[in-house]
Amino acid sequence: MIHYRNVSKIYSGDVLALKNVDLEIERGEFVSIVGQSGTGKSTLLKLLILEEIPTTGQVIFNNRDLASLRSHEIPLHRRRIGVIFQDFKLLNKRTIFENVSFALEVAGRPGNEIRRNVSQILEIVGLSEKFSKYPNQLSGGEQQRVAIARALINHPEVLVADEPTGNLDMINTWEIIELLLRINKLGTTVLLATHNKDTVDRIAKRVIAIDKGNVIRDQKEGKYMI
Ligand SMILES: Nc1ncnc2c1ncn2[C@@H]1O[C@H](COP(=O)(O)OP(=O)(O)OP(=O)(O)O)[C@@H](O)[C@H]1O
Ligand SMILES: [Mg+2]
């Protein structure tokens, strides 16, 4: 489904962020990407969502080289991939319902369809009761669940999570990871970049370790270990 083919990324100033990365990720996988700060984890994810382009090599998604996408195809590609970050990036002046429905509103979907979809997704993330609250009325863990709901609203094929638990305590962290595992079970491919050793070990699924832009380990049911 996702194929990094001999991908290198050099940022301006000669910063080598990724070096000859070859990776294949199948539909339905749950993959943790680990490695020290500045080793290229976020860069790997940014290439998939077209926030960055490779310096050399190709990123292939569903048999299409992302470099070959025409500009009108890029929004469609981005809708296929939901993204969550360490900071939740919620709209603070909008309710939970509005935060989650925003993309559908912008796309001009009919009101009843929006309400149906948002209720369904809020149910999945366990926030049905909170739809009329504002982000600052929610705990950190709940805010991250809103961000997950928002990322799921277009029924993406992949959920990309870049250090999603970096701002959370242990209990909230594990709740978010359990939610990601549940979403994965429902069929969404999940890519999780994290520093959190305990969670990666507990997830016990594929682990890709990156060091200074190189993939140094790729294990099924792996452990954190860097
Ligand atoms: N836009 C940019 N311009 C120049 N250098 C960059 C840019 N983005 C990232 N880098 C550099 O590329 C390298 C990889 O960065 P990246 O953000 O992918 O690391 P990371 O593994 O996600 O780190 P962290 O765990 O701290 O999030 C680092 O040396 C970083 O400083
Ligand atoms: Mg990062």
Side-chain angles (χ1 to χ4, degrees), residues 102-215:
F102 191 74
L104 299 180
E105 303 274 0
V106 172
R109 307 309 305 170
N112 55 354
E113 181 191 319
I114 294 177
R115 280 188 295 279
R116 197 176 55 240
N117 274 299
V118 175
S119 326
Q120 190 194 8
I121 304 277
L122 285 180
E123 175 113 23
I124 291 176
V125 303
L127 286 178
S128 302
E129 313 287 299
K130 305 273 184 183
F131 70 97
S132 61
K133 302 274 188 221
Y134 288 85
N136 64 9
Q137 298 174 303
L138 267 52
S139 73
E142 288 170 338
Q143 290 186 43
Q144 189 57 292
R145 285 193 270 151
V146 176
I148 293 173
R150 183 186 51 191
L152 291 178
I153 198 69
N154 284 311
H155 302 287
E157 296 170 43
V158 184
L159 182 62
V160 164
D162 194 353
E163 203 67 59
T165 60
N167 284 337
L168 303 177
D169 62 27
M170 248 171 54
I171 294 171
N172 277 307
T173 291
W174 189 244
E175 275 181 19
I176 292 297
I177 299 297
E178 280 187 320
L179 179 56
L180 296 181
L181 287 166
R182 188 139 39 92
I183 290 162
N184 176 245
K185 258 204 178 125
L186 294 171
T188 310
T189 307
V190 175
L191 304 188
L192 164 71
T194 183
H195 285 288
N196 194 315
K197 177 183 183 310
D198 290 346
T199 46
V200 171
D201 290 350
R202 225 164 128 183
I203 291 167
K205 291 189 184 281
R206 183 173 174 190
V207 177
I208 294 171
I210 306 186
D211 185 43
K212 300 191 190 80
N214 296 291
V215 172

Side-chain angles (χ1 to χ4, degrees), residues 2-226:
I2 302 164
H3 190 176
Y4 291 84
R5 196 184 279 166
N6 204 16
V7 171
S8 295
K9 174 69 184 176
I10 303 168
Y11 287 109
S12 60
D14 276 353
V15 181
L16 182 64
L18 291 175
K19 195 177 169 192
N20 303 334
V21 169
D22 269 306
L23 280 176
E24 264 194 84
I25 295 162
E26 303 291 337
R27 186 174 295 275
E29 277 196 276
F30 189 115
V31 182
S32 301
I33 300 159
V34 305
Q36 281 166 5
S37 190
T39 49
K41 304 182 294 299
S42 297
T43 301
L44 194 71
L45 300 178
K46 284 176 181 169
L47 293 170
L48 181 62
I49 58 176
L50 284 173
E51 211 175 290
E52 295 290 349
I53 51 168
T55 309
T56 57
Q58 291 143 355
V59 182
I60 293 156
F61 182 71
N62 290 341
N63 301 317
R64 275 294 290 281
D65 180 351
L66 293 184
S68 76
L69 292 183
R70 310 273 299 271
S71 53
H72 71 271
E73 295 174 297
I74 291 174
L76 178 67
H77 170 72
R78 293 211 170 106
R79 281 202 291 279
R80 291 190 172 134
I81 302 176
V83 189
I84 58 169
F85 303 94
Q86 175 165 353
D87 51 341
F88 319 121
K89 298 192 196 295
L90 299 177
L91 302 165
N92 285 318
K93 296 209 166 87
R94 293 178 190 261
T95 64
I96 302 318
F97 181 93
E98 289 164 345
N99 267 276
V100 179
S101 67
F102 191 74
L104 299 180
E105 303 274 0
V106 172
R109 307 309 305 170
N112 55 354
E113 181 191 319
I114 294 177
R115 280 188 295 279
R116 197 176 55 240
N117 274 299
V118 175
S119 326
Q120 190 194 8
I121 304 277
L122 285 180
E123 175 113 23
I124 291 176
V125 303
L127 286 178
S128 302
E129 313 287 299
K130 305 273 184 183
F131 70 97
S132 61
K133 302 274 188 221
Y134 288 85
N136 64 9
Q137 298 174 303
L138 267 52
S139 73
E142 288 170 338
Q143 290 186 43
Q144 189 57 292
R145 285 193 270 151
V146 176
I148 293 173
R150 183 186 51 191
L152 291 178
I153 198 69
N154 284 311
H155 302 287
E157 296 170 43
V158 184
L159 182 62
V160 164
D162 194 353
E163 203 67 59
T165 60
N167 284 337
L168 303 177
D169 62 27
M170 248 171 54
I171 294 171
N172 277 307
T173 291
W174 189 244
E175 275 181 19
I176 292 297
I177 299 297
E178 280 187 320
L179 179 56
L180 296 181
L181 287 166
R182 188 139 39 92
I183 290 162
N184 176 245
K185 258 204 178 125
L186 294 171
T188 310
T189 307
V190 175
L191 304 188
L192 164 71
T194 183
H195 285 288
N196 194 315
K197 177 183 183 310
D198 290 346
T199 46
V200 171
D201 290 350
R202 225 164 128 183
I203 291 167
K205 291 189 184 281
R206 183 173 174 190
V207 177
I208 294 171
I210 306 186
D211 185 43
K212 300 191 190 80
N214 296 291
V215 172
I216 55 164
R217 208 156 36 82
D218 183 353
Q219 289 180 317
K220 280 187 176 172
E221 299 185 28
K223 293 266 185 202
Y224 184 78
M225 225 175 35
I226 42 178

